[in-house]
mmCIF file of all heavy atoms in Angstrom:
data_model
loop_
_atom_site.group_PDB
_atom_site.id
_atom_site.type_symbol
_atom_site.label_atom_id
_atom_site.label_comp_id
_atom_site.label_asym_id
_atom_site.label_seq_id
_atom_site.Cartn_x
_atom_site.Cartn_y
_atom_site.Cartn_z
ATOM 1 N N VAL I 160 -18.027 18.120 9.633
ATOM 2 C CA VAL I 160 -17.729 16.827 10.249
ATOM 3 C C VAL I 160 -16.224 16.555 10.245
ATOM 4 O O VAL I 160 -15.735 15.743 11.036
ATOM 5 C CB VAL I 160 -18.463 15.670 9.533
ATOM 6 C CG1 VAL I 160 -19.970 15.895 9.529
ATOM 7 C CG2 VAL I 160 -17.947 15.449 8.122
ATOM 8 N N LEU I 161 -15.496 17.239 9.372
ATOM 9 C CA LEU I 161 -14.057 16.994 9.250
ATOM 10 C C LEU I 161 -13.253 17.632 10.372
ATOM 11 O O LEU I 161 -12.131 17.221 10.645
ATOM 12 C CB LEU I 161 -13.555 17.509 7.897
ATOM 13 C CG LEU I 161 -14.151 16.797 6.680
ATOM 14 C CD1 LEU I 161 -13.809 17.539 5.396
ATOM 15 C CD2 LEU I 161 -13.683 15.349 6.611
ATOM 16 N N GLY I 162 -13.816 18.665 11.022
ATOM 17 C CA GLY I 162 -13.134 19.307 12.135
ATOM 18 C C GLY I 162 -11.973 20.181 11.709
ATOM 19 O O GLY I 162 -11.958 20.744 10.615
ATOM 20 N N ASP I 166 -6.031 18.483 12.343
ATOM 21 C CA ASP I 166 -6.264 17.084 12.690
ATOM 22 C C ASP I 166 -6.019 16.131 11.524
ATOM 23 O O ASP I 166 -6.039 14.907 11.720
ATOM 24 C CB ASP I 166 -7.700 16.894 13.184
ATOM 25 C CG ASP I 166 -7.926 17.521 14.553
ATOM 26 O OD1 ASP I 166 -6.969 17.550 15.353
ATOM 27 O OD2 ASP I 166 -9.047 17.994 14.815
ATOM 28 N N HIS I 167 -5.787 16.672 10.339
ATOM 29 C CA HIS I 167 -5.653 15.834 9.143
ATOM 30 C C HIS I 167 -4.207 15.799 8.664
ATOM 31 O O HIS I 167 -3.516 16.814 8.655
ATOM 32 C CB HIS I 167 -6.565 16.346 8.037
ATOM 33 C CG HIS I 167 -8.016 16.209 8.374
ATOM 34 N ND1 HIS I 167 -8.748 15.087 8.059
ATOM 35 C CD2 HIS I 167 -8.855 17.042 9.032
ATOM 36 C CE1 HIS I 167 -9.982 15.237 8.502
ATOM 37 N NE2 HIS I 167 -10.085 16.417 9.091
ATOM 38 N N ALA I 168 -3.778 14.618 8.248
ATOM 39 C CA ALA I 168 -2.402 14.440 7.801
ATOM 40 C C ALA I 168 -2.152 15.081 6.446
ATOM 41 O O ALA I 168 -1.027 15.462 6.129
ATOM 42 C CB ALA I 168 -2.064 12.950 7.737
ATOM 43 N N VAL I 172 -8.267 16.996 1.729
ATOM 44 C CA VAL I 172 -8.904 15.768 2.189
ATOM 45 C C VAL I 172 -10.072 15.394 1.282
ATOM 46 O O VAL I 172 -10.754 16.262 0.729
ATOM 47 C CB VAL I 172 -9.380 15.889 3.651
ATOM 48 C CG1 VAL I 172 -8.214 16.237 4.566
ATOM 49 C CG2 VAL I 172 -10.480 16.927 3.803
ATOM 50 N N ASP I 173 -10.297 14.098 1.135
ATOM 51 C CA ASP I 173 -11.410 13.611 0.334
ATOM 52 C C ASP I 173 -12.469 12.992 1.242
ATOM 53 O O ASP I 173 -12.385 13.068 2.480
ATOM 54 C CB ASP I 173 -10.926 12.637 -0.735
ATOM 55 C CG ASP I 173 -10.285 11.389 -0.154
ATOM 56 O OD1 ASP I 173 -10.450 11.116 1.065
ATOM 57 O OD2 ASP I 173 -9.617 10.670 -0.919
ATOM 58 N N GLU I 174 -13.451 12.333 0.630
ATOM 59 C CA GLU I 174 -14.578 11.797 1.392
ATOM 60 C C GLU I 174 -14.180 10.638 2.301
ATOM 61 O O GLU I 174 -14.942 10.281 3.211
ATOM 62 C CB GLU I 174 -15.682 11.340 0.428
ATOM 63 C CG GLU I 174 -16.359 12.475 -0.326
ATOM 64 C CD GLU I 174 -15.668 12.881 -1.617
ATOM 65 O OE1 GLU I 174 -14.488 12.482 -1.831
ATOM 66 O OE2 GLU I 174 -16.298 13.591 -2.417
ATOM 67 N N ALA I 175 -13.011 10.045 2.068
ATOM 68 C CA ALA I 175 -12.559 8.929 2.900
ATOM 69 C C ALA I 175 -11.794 9.382 4.139
ATOM 70 O O ALA I 175 -11.418 8.555 4.974
ATOM 71 C CB ALA I 175 -11.682 7.987 2.075
ATOM 72 N N ALA I 176 -11.569 10.675 4.289
ATOM 73 C CA ALA I 176 -10.803 11.189 5.417
ATOM 74 C C ALA I 176 -11.539 10.949 6.729
ATOM 75 O O ALA I 176 -12.773 10.943 6.770
ATOM 76 C CB ALA I 176 -10.542 12.681 5.228
ATOM 77 N N PRO I 177 -10.811 10.763 7.818
ATOM 78 C CA PRO I 177 -11.474 10.587 9.122
ATOM 79 C C PRO I 177 -12.199 11.855 9.546
ATOM 80 O O PRO I 177 -11.867 12.957 9.109
ATOM 81 C CB PRO I 177 -10.308 10.265 10.069
ATOM 82 C CG PRO I 177 -9.095 10.828 9.395
ATOM 83 C CD PRO I 177 -9.335 10.695 7.928
ATOM 84 N N ARG I 178 -13.216 11.674 10.385
ATOM 85 C CA ARG I 178 -14.016 12.793 10.863
ATOM 86 C C ARG I 178 -13.583 13.173 12.276
ATOM 87 O O ARG I 178 -13.391 12.317 13.135
ATOM 88 C CB ARG I 178 -15.505 12.427 10.859
ATOM 89 C CG ARG I 178 -16.042 12.062 9.493
ATOM 90 C CD ARG I 178 -17.555 11.856 9.533
ATOM 91 N NE ARG I 178 -17.946 10.782 10.421
ATOM 92 C CZ ARG I 178 -18.298 9.560 10.017
ATOM 93 N NH1 ARG I 178 -18.281 9.265 8.728
ATOM 94 N NH2 ARG I 178 -18.656 8.628 10.880
ATOM 95 N N PHE I 179 -13.440 14.491 12.507
ATOM 96 C CA PHE I 179 -13.100 15.018 13.820
ATOM 97 C C PHE I 179 -13.992 16.215 14.139
ATOM 98 O O PHE I 179 -13.514 17.352 14.234
ATOM 99 C CB PHE I 179 -11.631 15.456 13.875
ATOM 100 C CG PHE I 179 -10.636 14.378 13.552
ATOM 101 C CD1 PHE I 179 -10.064 14.295 12.292
ATOM 102 C CD2 PHE I 179 -10.254 13.447 14.516
ATOM 103 C CE1 PHE I 179 -9.133 13.310 11.984
ATOM 104 C CE2 PHE I 179 -9.330 12.461 14.217
ATOM 105 C CZ PHE I 179 -8.764 12.393 12.952
ATOM 106 N N PRO I 180 -15.313 16.020 14.263
ATOM 107 C CA PRO I 180 -16.203 17.175 14.449
ATOM 108 C C PRO I 180 -15.808 18.007 15.658
ATOM 109 O O PRO I 180 -15.515 17.472 16.731
ATOM 110 C CB PRO I 180 -17.578 16.536 14.617
ATOM 111 C CG PRO I 180 -17.328 15.109 14.987
ATOM 112 C CD PRO I 180 -16.056 14.744 14.326
ATOM 113 N N ARG I 210 -21.711 16.946 1.007
ATOM 114 C CA ARG I 210 -20.965 17.817 1.915
ATOM 115 C C ARG I 210 -20.530 19.075 1.169
ATOM 116 O O ARG I 210 -19.463 19.103 0.539
ATOM 117 C CB ARG I 210 -19.721 17.116 2.440
ATOM 118 C CG ARG I 210 -19.924 16.019 3.452
ATOM 119 C CD ARG I 210 -18.541 15.502 3.837
ATOM 120 N NE ARG I 210 -18.547 14.394 4.769
ATOM 121 C CZ ARG I 210 -17.470 13.648 5.023
ATOM 122 N NH1 ARG I 210 -16.323 13.905 4.371
ATOM 123 N NH2 ARG I 210 -17.522 12.672 5.894
ATOM 124 N N PRO I 315 -10.375 21.960 7.002
ATOM 125 C CA PRO I 315 -9.460 21.533 5.941
ATOM 126 C C PRO I 315 -10.017 21.856 4.563
ATOM 127 O O PRO I 315 -11.232 21.954 4.370
ATOM 128 C CB PRO I 315 -9.364 20.021 6.155
ATOM 129 C CG PRO I 315 -10.639 19.648 6.828
ATOM 130 C CD PRO I 315 -10.993 20.813 7.704
#
Side-chain angles (χ1 to χ4, degrees):
V160 303
L161 296 169
D166 289 328
H167 294 270
V172 302
D173 62 15
E174 292 87 345
R178 300 186 299 258
F179 302 100
R210 287 181 183 167

